[in-house]
Amino acid sequence: MMTALGPRWGAALVLTTAVLAGCGSASVEKVGPKVKAERVEGVGLVRAGSTAQLADCSDWRRGTVEQRRVTIASIRDQMTPQRSATAETGLSDDAAYRIFAKTCASGIADTLRLYKIYARAQPFAAFAAETPAADG
Amino acid sequence: MRIEPARSSRRRLLSALMVTALGVLAFPATAGAHLERPSYWPDPASDTSISPAAGGAVPVARSLESAVNHEGPGKVLVVCQGARGATSLAALNVSMHTAQTRGVQVRPSQPAIRMTGLEARNLRQINRTLARRCTYDSVQQAVFDAGNNDRILIMPGLYEEPLSRSKPTNDPKCTPSLLQRDASGSLAPSYKYQVTCPNDQNLIYVQGRAVVGDALSVPQSNRQGIPAQELGPCVRCNLQIEGTGPRPEDVIMDAGKDYQGTGRRAKPGGYAKDVVLKVDRADGFVGRNFVVRGAREHGFYVEETDGVLLDRTKFFWNRDYGHLSFTSDHSRVQNCEGFGSGDAVIYPGATPETGSQATSFYPDAPRANTVITNCDLHGSALGYSGSMGNAVRITRNHIYGNTTAISSDTLSAAGHPGFPADSSEIDRNFIYSNNLNLYVDDPPVDPLVPVPVGTGILYPGMNDALVHHNWIFDNWRDGAMLFTVPDDFVSGGGAEGDIFPGISCPGAPANRISTSCGNQFFANKMGRAPNGFRFPSDVGMFGNRHAHNDARPQKPNGNDFWWGEFFDNLATGNCWYGNTGVDGTAASVTGPGEAGRLPASAPQVLPSDCATSVGNNDGAKLTYLIDCSNGPDTDTGPTDCDWWSTPAQPGSAAAADAARNRSAAAGSAGTEALWQRVAALIP
């Protein structure tokens, strides 16, 4: 028979949340104001006023810093729930920039969609970025 | 100074970190979902405002013969090429000759079946009759003129739809005025956008219902039922679109351009439109006997539709998904083939809650809302994927030669209602040789999503799944993988739509663990092919590596079952029982104990008793999974992720070397460094 989670689980959850929240907020403070997706075009092909849908790593490499930041803002908006006006991502724009820069630096990532990378990185990137390499 | 947490603290940390890592792990494994307008599940009851009623069940295809015998309901619109269909008839004759001499092979894994003389005469006569009635040379124009219960018959030919191609993308007539803004502020084309500018994104667009009002300014949290204010009456329900040749390849609807080579399987060098054929709120749709090819995104795309049958359809070189079904019900895809997708050949996403979480909205639940059967899914990053793929049944297919065969996940990306995914059933399939490495320079198929090379089934965050009676062999990494996705990590801000509490995991959603419970893997034959089995010729497509095509049944997986495990005080209900391994016995199943895939800490548990199943916190797996979250790279340390290269063939010396290199992972310096980082963050 299944059992309910005990207090230990609650402590673990609090810790995990603190890990993520702490890293995320620290990064946000280092970043300038968030860029609105609609101001300028991001990298890649535009659909519905945004490049979030189709932008990939090769687009990223061709873009300017400003275009990349616009792209991140656009993806950030797309990747939060549609039913909530207050939902926010735990991934700062700076952290997202680092993730894209790292992943897209590899030639084998040319065609990976940025929003799919973002979705994967969203929960953990801030923590991972400040963690020593896993193999020491 | 090195921080050395007390043992109890370490246990707590381990639990916390497991949550984090397992959540992270889910993301590289997912199909990445897709971005779409706020979508709703259609009313599962049939719409009786037209006769016969639309939806409420998988529609039944009407025969080709009935179209020329004036058997209703509805009118017949014929599309052809050449004067009075001359070009189509010429193409038909060539194909008929092939069908009679070499046979028709709908799926590469199945034998070709020769057409008899009588069948050929009948089909030729039908086409001659249709040619005389042909008044269209464009599928889209026929669709525009079609209404409820009508049939569109497409005679052999390549349909590039030049008029549709000439329509602008991001048409100022619709952009931005008809974009729909959801609550979080992001924009997407509304239903009215698609109706007003049908060929902005789509080569061929099927509008199923009239536009009667604007979309809600704030989407409903409850996604059961399309909001009444925007749900118009049927205008193209019970529509059937069908090719009239002996083979699906005789009719190709094509959005590609600049093809590299010739032939029906040629690869496009560019794309004219995002979607080949989109079916939108068109209940009771039947598509049969054609190919959709060359979309920048999706070949066949159906959304908010109740009742869909695809039969003898093929999906070639569609860059994201060959077939994308979204928030649709009573759907069946059968006798199909697809390859060349950078994400998945078939993707039913955000399928209705007709499984564990069904409410009174689905009075006949539990039931499968989508069935994929008798298909060959191959030569792609994924054969099948589905975010929030609730109650989808995948049965009697051959899925081979992909990077990963199947991934069904909980990822609450924007617009994917149905959290958490549950009630998937994978049964009686042949899942083999999925070792296609697309993470290389100049890949044969452009991968759009990172997934582990060499994997059969991937469940990142699935509940109450049944995986049984499958043959799963020659997947050089893992036969089946399962891990959890804690609620806190499914898209920023939480899940999409309502969560129905307490169904799948104990204590959910209050304890924030709603996924990866109640999954059963049983009666599967692992690492072994059926007697007399031979690989289809396409198993080696794009250089996919596979075992020798000989009569020996032993074709081992790198590892049969891999479980991310869970917390040692949480009963999960996940269990593995009655499976057999490479020598035909239960004892040869790999996964539990020391035989499981490394890196991992002993003992690797794989509970057989569903009632007492608990995990066994594993720091080595954790470290490895964290590295996998960073995406493709070429690092090769003992705890570095190795998902992005083809594993060594099981049983080879190289495979043994790899295992030895990873055996040092448990308790490695990297793992300890990770502990220090987490410990330093403790308040």
Side-chain angles (χ1 to χ4, degrees), chain B residues 256-553:
Chain B
K257 59 184 182 181
D258 303 329
Y259 276 87
Q260 302 165 12
T262 59
R264 295 169 174 84
R265 297 189 165 222
K267 180 180 181 179
Y271 308 91
K273 288 293 173 184
D274 297 346
V275 177
V276 177
L277 173 59
K278 178 157 185 174
V279 173
D280 210 354
R281 297 183 180 174
D283 298 351
F285 178 85
V286 175
R288 188 162 68 172
N289 203 36
F290 56 70
V291 174
V292 286
R293 185 177 74 172
R296 183 178 287 108
E297 291 189 283
H298 323 307
F300 176 83
Y301 183 3
V302 58
E303 185 172 9
E304 292 182 322
T305 294
D306 179 21
V308 181
L309 172 65
L310 289 187
D311 182 30
R312 290 170 58 95
T313 49
K314 301 202 176 198
F315 317 99
F316 294 168
W317 291 113
N318 298 291
R319 202 155 183 259
D320 270 70
Y321 304 112
H323 161 285
L324 168 57
S325 172
F326 201 70
T327 54
S328 293
D329 200 352
H330 294 112
S331 177
R332 184 179 178 91
V333 184
Q334 62 187 20
N335 305 314
C336 78
E337 184 205 355
F339 66 85
S341 290
D343 201 305
V345 178
I346 289 187
Y347 173 98
T351 50
E353 295 279 26
T354 62
S356 304
Q357 299 190 93
T359 67
S360 58
F361 190 67
Y362 299 104
D364 59 345
R367 62 171 170 83
N369 57 65
T370 300
V371 176
I372 313 298
T373 186
N374 290 304
C375 289
D376 273 24
L377 313 176
H378 65 105
S380 298
L382 289 152
Y384 168 100
S385 72
S387 295
M388 306 305 167
N390 299 294
V392 176
R393 185 179 181 195
I394 307 166
T395 182
R396 301 181 190 281
N397 304 285
H398 281 243
I399 309 178
Y400 53 89
N402 305 287
T403 305
T404 290
I406 296 172
S407 175
S408 193
D409 64 88
T410 287
L411 171 61
S412 201
H416 281 62
F419 176 93
D422 63 69
S423 308
S424 161
E425 183 173 16
I426 301 174
D427 67 286
R428 298 174 178 80
N429 300 282
F430 297 85
I431 301 167
Y432 50 91
S433 309
N434 292 285
N435 304 310
L436 181 62
N437 185 4
L438 298 175
Y439 309 109
V440 295
D441 292 332
D442 195 22
V445 178
D446 294 338
L448 307 189
V449 62
V451 289
V453 181
T455 306
I457 299 169
L458 198 57
Y459 272 150
M462 173 60 70
N463 294 327
D464 301 332
L466 300 174
V467 179
H468 60 99
H469 294 96
N470 299 287
W471 294 84
I472 304 174
F473 54 92
D474 195 34
N475 303 290
W476 291 3
R477 182 176 310 282
D478 291 290
M481 305 179 79
L482 170 69
F483 20 86
T484 192
V485 185
D487 300 7
D488 291 281
F489 306 127
V490 287
S491 188
E496 190 75 56
D498 291 339
I499 300 174
F500 303 104
I503 304 291
S504 297
C505 285
N511 66 5
R512 313 298 293 163
I513 293 291
S514 298
T515 75
S516 196
C517 294
N519 301 291
Q520 300 187 28
F521 300 76
F522 60 94
N524 298 290
K525 296 184 186 305
M526 310 298 292
R528 196 174 173 88
N531 288 331
F533 176 87
R534 287 291 188 277
F535 289 121
S537 59
D538 280 0
V539 75
M541 196 176 194
F542 306 135
N544 180 56
R545 299 182 66 192
H546 57 88
H548 287 301
N549 193 12
D550 56 28
R552 288 181 301 174

Side-chain angles (χ1 to χ4, degrees), chain B residues 79 81 138-140 143 152 154-155 157-161 165 203-206 241-243 248-256 259 275-278 285 287-295 298-300 313-316 318:
Chain B
V79 186
Q81 294 184 335
S138 157
V139 179
Q140 181 64 86
V143 170
I152 295 171
I154 311 171
M155 295 184 64
L158 176 65
Y159 293 87
E160 297 178 303
E161 304 291 314
R165 287 174 180 239
L203 190 75
I204 301 161
Y205 179 72
V206 177
I241 297 180
E242 181 171 8
E249 289 90 338
D250 292 325
V251 171
I252 300 178
M253 289 175 261
D254 189 7
Y259 276 87
V275 177
V276 177
L277 173 59
K278 178 157 185 174
F285 178 85
R288 188 162 68 172
N289 203 36
F290 56 70
V291 174
V292 286
R293 185 177 74 172
H298 323 307
F300 176 83
T313 49
K314 301 202 176 198
F315 317 99
F316 294 168
N318 298 291

